[in-house]
Each structure stands twice: as C-alpha cells, then as structure tokens.
C-alpha cells in the first residue's frame, strides 16, 4: 500500500465479520516446531549489538531479524501516529516482499492492528483483506498474518507482525512465543531510543552521549568474537556514555523547573540507574564465563549475608505488600565465602521472587544446615514456571516460554555463576504456571573451628 492509498478513508461496513477471518485458536492446535533457543539467543545478541551501534534503526533491525528467524515472507512494525492523536497506524519498518509498502498503514478504528489493540491480545488473521476492503489492492496478498501488541511505557502503541503470502508457511504456538519475546525486547529498546531523543532536545550536554555511542559503533563493528567476550565488550563500552549522562542529568535538574522537565529528569534518572545495573550484571556474566570474577573469600556466618539481602530488598516487598517469612537457624552457618557476592546472590533471588509474585503475595526464605552443606530456599506463590522452561531458567537471554515471564535472564545467570564459584549449586523448581516457584541454593559449610 502506498502512502497515498493509506490516507483514503475506508468504508465503515466490512465485507465479512471479524470472526470469519480470525484463526488464532489454531495456533495451539497445529503441530508446533521445537524451540530453537540457540537461534533465538543469537538473534537477541544481534539486537543488543544493533541497539548499541545504531539505536535509531532498531525497529528496522527488528523487522529484518523477525523475517530471518521466522522464515516468513514479510515482517514489520506498526505504530500509532502522534501528530493526529493516534487515528492511524503507520509502518516505520518492513522487511521482505512487502518492504516497498514502508510508510503506509491502516486506520486505527477499522483495521487488523486496531483489533489487536482493542483486544490487547495476539491475533492470527487469514486473508484479512476480505474484511478490510481497502487492503484488496495490496500485493502480494496475505495468506496469514500473526500480530502481537507492541508496548511503550506499559501502553499499547502498535503491533509487531509476520506474514505468510502463501500456504507453505503456517504459524504455530512457537512462532507466537518468539514474536512476543522479541516484542518485549523491542519495547525496551524503543523506550530507550525515545528517552535519548527527548534528552537530546532538552539539553546540549547529552550530545556527548551520542559521540560516545558512535565510538562504541566503530569498536563493535570490528568485533567477531564469541558471545561472552562480546557481552563484556559492550558492557565496558556502555559504561562511558552512561557516566556521561549523569552530569547531564544534573544540568537538567538545575535548568529545568517546570513539571514536564521534572518528569523528564525522573525518567532519565530511572533509566540510567536501570541501565547501570544491567551493565554491571552483564560484566559479571562475562567475568564468570572467563574465570575472571574477583571473589574475596573469608570465613563468615552465612546468616549475615542473608540479612544483608533482606535489608536491601525490604522496601521492594513493602511496595508490593508482600508477606515475607524468614526462618534462620539459631546457630551460625559457617562458610568460606565472599559476603558481598553472597549478598548479591540472595538479593537477586529475592528480587526475582518479588517481580513474579502479584501484589499481596507470600514469599518465604528458609535456611538450614546438616553439618556438611547449607541449604537456602526462597519460595513464592507467584506466577510459576512451565515444566519445559525449567531447564533454561538460568540461561542468558532465555525467558519463560509463555507470556508470564519476561526479561533477559541476566540476574539469574549471575546467581548461578556466583554460587558455582563458591562450590555450590542452585536449582529452580515449580509445579507449573500459576503455582509459584522455589529456588534452592546449596553451599558447602566449614567446621566451626576453621571459622575461628
């Protein structure tokens, strides 16, 4: 569809009812291909690299990635227009045979993307031009189109879609899972790009961040190294632009006093803090993989590290009104360990429990020792984990294979690495979605005489 065609007001009466072109329920009925986590991992790493190198074209990179991973015929992103109050969807990025239609779009109140936002759910269409007559001239025609909502700041602002133009390609439940996974990454990337653009407009000082990001581009273009080394590189390089943002935020605080400026500063500060934590976790992941993580072991009472983590996360539990029960033994748990790193382990696990437990939920921490090892269990009654996802909980960039979990898995990856460096093990258990989760850490203990 050309841009001129997309502006033509469509008829309000459709050729066929909506339900006659929907086939979403078939996703779970069709034979589903096995998850290719390795390919998904590579795709997400490439998207991280694209965000560092060329943040302004991240949407087109996403469309290209979806086309390749899904082996679809066309793929793209639809966003609501801002200048007219969101009356239309436009297509800022398209890959595949529909690429010439980039810049076109559909109406908000009568189109497939609008139906997805109205239902706030993924939809699978078959030959949707039979309902939306204004799509009849679009070539090549569509056999199936799978769409998922695209969010920005928890608000649905568009859709991400993949298209099959003939009957050889049928979408299934695994396609839906991967499209939602990439959608979550794209949402975070899109928000980061929006914040950066707004910051550049308000303060000249933030232009320095762009120069640093361009330098990161030149460094990363020549990188052809294995994944863990790449992660270490990107984390180190991103430290510099993040550091450059901090004085810029201070300048904004001094110069902008209007409510809108105050809100903008708060958004920037929050995102910079989040990005800093993510960079630190990425560095720890790379250091663990390379055997370079600094562990300062010493004899200590493991209860102290647990208490440190409880103090660090207490405000989080209060904010979500979680009921937290703690059971520690009366006698010391003597360990040969790094107190700071153990605090990091238990803080990440408690934060993970809080993240995936609804407000007002119940979380417990129980620690005990049998003389040779200490066992610490963190249990919640939250969203749970599907059985087929349990083996991948601690893998980097592997999130729950349902819509119930999201994230890059960096925190849990760090947990496993730190526990193993202490000679211990960590495991995840769950009876399934909606039935809560349990994370169990086991660590070797030392004799009381050795600890004195």
């Amino acid at each position: 569809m050309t841009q001129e065609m997309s502006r033509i007001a469509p008829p309000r009466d459709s050729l066929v009812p909506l339900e006659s072109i929907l086939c979403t329920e078939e996703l779970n009925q069709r034979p589903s291909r096995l998850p290719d986590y390795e390919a998904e991992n590579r795709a997400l790493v490439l998207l991280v690299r694209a965000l560092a190198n060329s943040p302004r074209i991240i949407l087109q990179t996403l469309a290209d990635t979806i086309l390749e991973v899904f082996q679809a015929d066309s793929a793209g992103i639809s966003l609501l227009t801002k200048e007219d109050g969101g009356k239309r969807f436009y297509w800022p990025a398209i890959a595949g045979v529909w690429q010439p239609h980039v810049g076109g779009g559909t109406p908000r109140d009568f189109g497939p993307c609008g139906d997805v936002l109205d239902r706030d759910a993924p939809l699978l269409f078959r030959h949707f031009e039979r309902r939306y007559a204004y799509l009849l001239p679009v070539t090549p025609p569509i056999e199936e189109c799978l769409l998922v909502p695209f969010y920005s700041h928890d608000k649905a602002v568009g859709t991400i879609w993949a298209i099959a133009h003939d009957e050889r390609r049928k979408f299934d439940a695994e396609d839906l899972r991967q499209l939602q996974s990439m959608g979550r990454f794209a949402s975070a990337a899109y928000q980061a790009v929006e914040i950066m653009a707004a910051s550049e407009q308000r303060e000249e000082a933030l232009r320095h961040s762009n120069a640093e990001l361009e330098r990161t581009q030149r460094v990363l273009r020549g990188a052809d190294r294995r994944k863990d080394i790449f992660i270490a590189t990107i984390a180190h390089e991103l430290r510099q632009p993040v550091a450059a943002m901090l004085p810029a935020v201070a300048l904004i605080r001094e110069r902008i006093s209007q409510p809108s400026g105050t809100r903008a500063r708060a958004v920037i500060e929050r995102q910079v803090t989040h990005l800093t934590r993510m960079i630190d976790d990425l560095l720890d992941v790379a250091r663990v993989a390379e055997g370079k993580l600094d562990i300062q072991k010493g004899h200590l009472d493991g209860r102290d590290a647990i208490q440190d983590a409880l103090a660090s996360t207490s405000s989080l539990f209060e904010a979500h009104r979680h009921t937290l029960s703690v059971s520690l033994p009366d006698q010391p748990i003597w360990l040969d360990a790094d107190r700071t790193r153990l605090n990091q382990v238990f803080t990440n696990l408690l934060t993970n429990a809080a993240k995936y437990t609804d407000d007002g939920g119940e979380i417990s921490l129980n620690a005990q020792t049998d003389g040779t090892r200490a066992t610490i269990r963190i249990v919640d009654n939250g969203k749970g984990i599907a059985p087929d996802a349990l083996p991948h909980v601690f893998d980097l960039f592997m999130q729950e294979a349902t819509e119930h979990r999201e994230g890059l898995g960096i925190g849990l990856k760090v947990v496993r690495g730190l526990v193993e460096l202490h000679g211990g093990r960590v495991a995840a258990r769950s009876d399934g979605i909606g039935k809560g989760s349990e994370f169990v850490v086991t660590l070797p203990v030392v004799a009381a005489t050795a600890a004195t």
Side-chain angles (χ1 to χ4, degrees):
M1 175 180 292
T2 64
Q3 296 189 42
E4 289 73 20
M5 290 174 61
S6 69
R7 296 191 184 100
I8 298 175
R12 284 296 181 265
D13 53 334
S14 61
L15 301 178
V16 298
L18 174 60
E19 297 303 324
S20 69
I21 61 171
L22 287 180
C23 50
T24 313
E25 69 282 354
E26 294 184 18
L27 289 171
N28 292 320
Q29 298 171 0
R30 296 171 178 174
S32 182
R33 59 191 176 92
L34 293 176
D36 188 347
Y37 291 115
E38 183 177 353
E40 185 177 358
N41 188 6
R42 290 196 302 268
L44 288 172
V45 170
L46 288 174
L47 286 172
V48 171
R49 183 175 184 177
L51 179 59
N53 285 347
S54 306
R56 299 188 185 281
I57 61 169
I58 187 63
L59 294 183
Q60 184 59 50
T61 304
L62 174 66
D64 295 337
T65 303
I66 293 173
L67 188 76
E68 179 180 354
V69 172
F70 280 61
Q71 298 182 345
D73 298 315
S74 297
I77 293 92
S78 300
L79 294 177
L80 285 171
T81 53
K82 296 181 179 179
E83 62 275 5
D84 59 1
K87 294 182 179 180
R88 290 182 56 254
F89 288 97
Y90 73 100
W91 301 330
I94 300 178
V97 297
W98 253 28
Q99 200 280 331
H101 301 312
V102 67
T106 57
R108 165 63 181 87
D109 59 351
F110 189 69
C113 295
D115 291 328
V116 171
L117 262 60
D118 289 341
R119 298 194 179 195
D120 193 23
L123 294 178
L124 179 64
F125 291 87
R126 180 182 290 123
H127 287 293
F128 55 40
E129 74 277 1
R130 293 187 294 127
R131 173 174 172 81
Y132 314 110
Y134 55 88
L135 288 171
L136 285 170
V138 179
T139 57
I142 291 173
E143 176 67 24
E144 286 190 355
C145 182
L146 177 62
L147 300 94
V148 301
F150 177 84
Y151 298 92
S152 178
H153 303 290
D154 298 324
K155 180 180 179 181
V157 297
T159 63
I160 300 176
W161 38 269
I163 291 175
H165 290 297
D166 56 48
E167 295 183 352
R168 291 176 297 176
R169 179 67 166 94
K170 295 291 186 181
F171 296 111
D172 57 32
E174 173 61 13
D175 292 314
L176 175 59
R177 185 195 70 79
Q178 284 198 344
L179 197 60
Q180 289 176 316
S181 173
M182 291 186 180
R184 286 190 288 268
F185 175 90
S187 175
Y190 184 68
Q191 291 178 47
V193 172
E194 281 191 323
I195 291 169
M196 184 181 68
S199 300
E200 288 176 348
Q201 294 174 3
R202 289 185 174 92
E203 195 58 52
E204 178 67 22
L206 289 183
R207 295 188 182 276
H208 179 66
S209 297
N210 287 338
E212 294 298 325
L213 287 174
E214 290 174 2
R215 190 175 72 83
T216 304
Q217 288 180 343
R218 293 192 295 272
V219 172
L220 294 180
R221 284 195 190 104
D224 185 18
R225 308 165 69 184
R226 60 189 178 88
K227 181 184 66 177
D228 291 329
I229 300 301
F230 165 72
I231 292 174
T233 301
I234 190 173
H236 279 294
E237 294 298 332
L238 285 177
R239 270 187 178 275
Q240 297 184 26
V242 169
M245 288 183 183
L246 296 177
V249 170
L251 288 175
I252 293 176
R253 183 186 299 113
E254 294 175 0
R255 300 183 184 183
I256 299 180
S257 59
Q258 296 87 350
S260 60
T262 301
R263 288 193 296 270
R265 177 177 57 80
V267 168
I268 295 171
E269 289 179 331
R270 185 166 59 251
Q271 294 298 327
V272 169
T273 300
H274 173 72
L275 184 56
T276 301
R277 288 197 300 267
M278 180 177 290
I279 290 171
D280 289 340
D281 282 344
L282 281 170
L283 285 171
D284 282 344
V285 167
R287 288 165 181 158
V288 168
E290 297 178 47
K292 296 180 179 179
L293 187 64
D294 186 22
I295 296 291
Q296 302 294 330
K297 287 186 177 181
H299 295 304
L300 57 87
D301 184 352
R303 297 178 302 175
D304 294 334
I306 294 173
Q307 293 289 4
D308 291 342
L310 291 170
S312 299
T313 54
S314 60
S315 60
L316 178 63
F317 292 120
E318 292 173 1
H320 291 283
R321 305 187 307 281
H322 290 143
T323 299
L324 176 64
S325 59
V326 179
S327 176
L328 302 178
D330 295 330
Q331 299 301 318
I333 304 174
W334 295 116
L335 304 172
D336 184 24
D338 184 324
R339 178 168 174 172
T340 299
R341 290 301 187 177
L342 282 189
N343 173 23
Q344 186 177 359
V345 166
F346 299 128
T347 296
N348 281 0
L349 290 176
L350 288 168
T351 300
N352 185 74
K355 179 179 180 180
Y356 294 114
T357 301
D358 292 336
D359 290 357
E362 298 178 356
I363 299 171
S364 67
L365 184 151
N366 174 274
Q368 57 187 13
T369 178
D370 60 7
T372 61
R373 64 179 182 176
T375 302
I376 300 92
R377 304 175 187 274
I378 296 176
V379 182
D380 65 70
N381 65 345
K383 298 180 179 179
I385 308 170
D388 59 347
L390 277 173
H392 308 290
V393 165
F394 297 99
D395 294 342
L396 190 63
F397 299 129
M398 298 299 182
Q399 53 271 353
E400 169 69 60
T402 73
E403 71 275 17
H404 293 276
R405 289 195 175 233
E406 59 184 21
L408 300 178
I410 299 172
L412 291 180
K413 177 76 171 181
V414 171
V415 165
R416 183 172 65 179
L418 290 175
V419 170
E420 291 177 350
L421 284 175
H422 283 85
R425 297 182 62 185
V426 59
R429 301 170 183 169
S430 176
D431 290 333
I433 298 300
K435 297 182 179 180
S437 306
E438 178 183 25
F439 286 81
V440 182
V441 176
T442 57
L443 296 167
V445 301
V446 297
T449 54
T452 58

